[in-house]
Amino acid sequence: MPLFSIIIPSYNQGNFLYENICSVISQSFTDWELLIVDDGSNDDSLELARSFAHLHKNIIVLEKTNGGLSSARNHGIRYSR
């Protein structure tokens, strides 16, 4: 079980999501889980998140219909360990 969870809500943020994910995985501390909550994006955000999840076992991608930033964060919290 990870020591802490990082939640990144994402709605059409493909151009920034790559840098955010790289920032997390480049840290020396490894006892974390990263939950990327795609909030109904219609750009390449979901595909980008899934590609990272295939490469890193501690990245989890969640999908939901668009409900706003707080809704996406709360969705991530529900699934965090």
Side-chain angles (χ1 to χ4, degrees), residues 8-75:
I8 298 178
S10 176
Y11 176 73
N12 294 337
Q13 293 296 315
N15 51 339
F16 300 106
L17 190 58
Y18 180 84
E19 290 181 36
N20 287 324
I21 297 170
C22 287
S23 176
V24 172
I25 62 178
S26 69
Q27 302 302 310
S28 59
F29 190 79
T30 58
D31 197 10
W32 49 265
E33 70 176 349
L34 173 60
L35 294 106
I36 303 167
V37 182
D38 183 80
D39 194 29
S41 296
N42 52 27
D43 68 351
D44 65 341
S45 299
L46 182 58
E47 291 78 22
L48 178 64
R50 285 179 177 161
S51 68
F52 272 97
H54 285 299
L55 298 173
H56 301 277
K57 63 179 174 52
N58 46 350
I59 296 179
I60 300 162
V61 178
L62 304 171
E63 298 176 61
K64 62 179 288 307
T65 56
N66 185 270
L69 185 58
S70 295
S71 173
R73 283 187 185 133
N74 289 335
H75 191 72

